[in-house]
Amino acid sequence: MRHPCPNWLDEFLNVLIPCVRSAAAACLIFCANAAMAADYILGPQDILKIRVFEWRPSTATAFEWVPLTGDFSISAAGNLSLPIIGTIPAAGKTLEQLSAMISERLQNQVGLQKRPNAAVEIASYRPFFVTGLVATPGKYNFSPGLTVEQALSMAGGIGRVDANLIELQREALSGRGDLRALEAERLELVARQARIDATLTNAAEVTFPSELVSQQEQPRIARMMKDERALFEMRAHSMDAEIDALNRAKLLAVSQIDALKAKSASLAKQIELANKDVGSVNKLVQQGLTVSARQLGSSQNLAELESRNLDVSLAILKTQQDMTKVDQDIGDVRNRYRIDALTEAAQLRDRFASNAEKISTERDLLRNLEIRAPSAIATLEEDKDSYAFVTTINRVIDGSVESLIANDNDPVSPGDVLRVERRERPRSAVSVSSN
């Protein structure tokens, strides 16, 4: 077997060694990066740096597949679209698995005898997200080794408020004050409604709804209920007093009628006797046994008695009319108080509607502020010792989203969603912290 001349060998080695060194260096870089992320599971939005080499002994060169060299992004569907070999499912795979798939797919696609070498590394991790009670919620770039504490610091920290949000705090304070005033007004309307209902149903006392009864230990609620009871009792007493006065007038009229009827009965007897006397006198006058003057006196006496009896009858009729008027007045008194209650009820419905609309508007405004600046709103809590900030991580595990309670030193993975929430402390913890 003939050996090539030394000059040719030197030439060959001069060409081969730089290529080998370049390929080796590239492999070392990719392998080092791959080793750092050996267990990393790929997912959508990951950007991969891919280089594919093939050693060709016939030319003693490392051939680079240029179309397959570069940065490629995993789509939202979890696929990696590459020239020549087409689409490869990448989500859920490790770097080693994807590298083997690329090599195998290229070999099969172009009919290579030997499988080429594919080097795959992470050029850019998919982002993670921070939301909730942080200064600047949003999307952030992931870096290996990132912890929860570091991720939250990138978002400005927990519960911190940017200086530009002071005006939002003022709006929130004003809105909360208005909302408290509207809630107090609504409770007053509820108490007033209970009083009006008691008036319209002729109830003996005001029955307040459970919404007020459950809060009657509060001085403001207790005073509100007391005032409505006092007003109900005062108006009921006033109406009863008017009706009692009319009933007394009615009783007096009944007594007058009884007296007039007794007087009418007495006059009827006197008229009967006077009629008999007039008849007797008329007979004596006809017989000439008495003078006509006596006949005139008897007739005048009878006429006077009948006149008096007529006056008594008229007085009875007038008193009966007065009694009827008293009954009407009693009905008018009841109707007047009822009409007043109905008028107040109609006004109350309008105020309820206006109050509900204002409360809805204030709540929408506060909800909008909480969405725009949740951390700014969180700092306005009056009793901060009763609450704690809790960080949870929403992470995709085996194809499903799981929510995990996170500590400061827990690792963050690409695609994680960190949420900072304010939760009420257990009562025991609150009492210990206050001591």
Side-chain angles (χ1 to χ4, degrees):
M1 183 175 181
R2 297 177 61 186
H3 296 281
C5 64
N7 292 334
W8 181 88
L9 179 61
D10 289 340
E11 235 174 76
F12 172 75
L13 291 176
N14 289 335
V15 173
L16 176 62
I17 290 173
C19 293
V20 171
R21 286 177 178 174
S22 175
C27 289
L28 286 174
I29 293 173
F30 284 110
C31 290
N33 290 334
M36 293 176 60
D39 297 329
Y40 178 67
I41 303 300
L42 297 171
Q45 300 185 49
D46 280 335
I47 299 177
L48 306 178
K49 179 174 288 186
I50 301 175
R51 297 185 71 182
V52 181
F53 291 89
E54 177 193 356
W55 173 254
R56 296 184 175 180
S58 61
T59 60
T61 60
F63 176 77
E64 180 179 3
W65 290 82
V66 177
L68 293 174
T69 300
D71 293 345
F72 300 90
S73 176
I74 299 177
S75 68
N79 298 322
L80 188 64
S81 182
L82 297 174
I84 303 175
I85 61 178
T87 300
I88 297 177
K93 303 292 191 302
T94 63
L95 294 175
E96 289 79 1
Q97 292 172 337
L98 182 62
S99 175
M101 291 175 64
I102 293 174
S103 298
E104 183 179 359
R105 181 73 67 86
L106 180 59
Q107 182 186 17
N108 296 333
Q109 188 73 22
V110 299
L112 299 175
Q113 292 183 352
K114 294 183 64 176
R115 182 177 297 179
N117 295 321
V120 182
E121 70 172 352
I122 304 293
S124 176
Y125 291 90
R126 60 184 181 272
F128 68 94
F129 304 85
V130 183
T131 184
L133 302 178
V134 292
T136 52
K139 179 175 71 174
Y140 294 91
N141 294 327
F142 175 81
S143 59
L146 186 68
T147 65
V148 170
E149 184 177 16
Q150 293 169 342
L152 295 180
S153 67
M154 294 169 66
I158 296 176
R160 293 174 57 187
V161 183
D162 191 85
N164 295 329
L165 301 180
I166 298 300
E167 185 62 30
L168 293 176
Q169 286 187 334
R170 290 197 186 99
E171 292 181 20
L173 286 171
S174 177
R176 288 184 175 184
D178 293 340
L179 187 59
R180 283 194 294 269
L182 290 169
E183 288 288 352
E185 181 186 14
R186 188 185 67 82
L187 292 177
E188 291 178 0
L189 296 177
V190 169
R192 192 173 303 174
Q193 182 67 59
R195 171 179 57 79
I196 293 174
D197 290 342
T199 300
L200 294 176
T201 57
N202 296 322
E205 61 181 10
V206 180
T207 302
F208 293 102
S210 57
E211 181 182 11
L212 293 178
V213 175
S214 61
Q215 305 180 60
Q216 62 182 348
E217 298 301 327
Q218 299 181 19
R220 180 173 57 85
I221 303 297
R223 183 177 64 254
M224 185 188 307
M225 296 169 65
K226 180 181 178 182
D227 292 344
E228 293 299 333
R229 283 196 186 99
L231 182 57
F232 173 80
E233 292 172 357
M234 182 189 70
R235 291 188 175 180
H237 178 74
S238 177
M239 183 181 70
D240 291 341
E242 290 188 50
I243 293 175
D244 286 343
L246 292 171
N247 282 328
R248 285 195 297 270
K250 185 176 179 179
L251 289 175
L252 179 60
V254 170
S255 299
Q256 289 178 348
I257 289 175
D258 291 340
L260 289 172
K261 286 182 178 179
K263 186 175 181 180
S264 177
S266 175
L267 287 173
K269 291 180 180 180
Q270 293 180 26
I271 289 172
E272 182 181 358
L273 292 176
N275 279 326
K276 290 180 181 180
D277 183 58
V278 168
S280 300
V281 171
N282 288 336
K283 289 181 180 180
L284 293 174
V285 170
Q286 291 174 359
Q287 295 174 3
L289 298 177
T290 184
V291 295
S292 58
R294 184 178 177 186
Q295 182 182 19
L296 179 60
S298 298
S299 298
Q300 289 177 345
N301 182 44
L302 177 61
E304 182 180 354
L305 290 173
E306 290 177 345
S307 176
R308 290 169 59 189
N309 189 38
L310 182 59
D311 291 339
V312 170
S313 298
L314 291 174
I316 290 174
L317 290 174
K318 184 176 182 306
T319 305
Q320 289 176 341
Q321 291 178 348
D322 292 341
M323 287 179 60
T324 302
K325 180 66 167 57
V326 168
D327 289 335
Q328 292 176 352
D329 291 343
I330 291 175
D332 290 343
V333 170
R334 295 185 187 278
N335 288 335
R336 186 176 75 250
Y337 280 91
R338 184 175 181 81
I339 290 173
D340 291 344
L342 289 172
T343 302
E344 192 173 1
Q347 296 172 351
L348 203 58
R349 283 193 297 271
D350 294 339
R351 292 192 60 185
F352 263 121
S354 175
N355 178 267
E357 184 65 27
K358 291 178 180 177
I359 287 178
S360 177
T361 301
E362 288 297 335
R363 286 177 177 170
D364 289 343
L365 290 174
L366 286 174
R367 193 176 298 113
N368 184 40
L369 286 174
E370 289 174 356
I371 293 173
R372 291 166 58 192
S375 57
I377 305 302
T379 57
L380 298 178
E381 293 298 332
E382 298 177 356
D383 189 7
K384 295 180 182 178
D385 293 336
S386 300
Y387 299 91
F389 291 103
V390 177
T391 303
T392 57
I393 297 178
N394 292 334
R395 178 176 296 166
V396 177
I397 300 177
D398 296 332
S400 61
V401 179
E402 296 188 13
S403 183
L404 311 171
I405 301 296
N407 295 318
D408 288 344
N409 295 323
D410 289 344
V412 176
S413 298
D416 282 352
V417 178
L418 281 68
R419 179 180 296 276
V420 179
E421 299 175 308
R422 178 175 42 80
R423 297 183 182 177
E424 187 174 357
R425 295 180 186 272
R427 293 188 179 274
S428 58
V430 175
S431 60
V432 169
S433 63
S434 61
N435 293 334

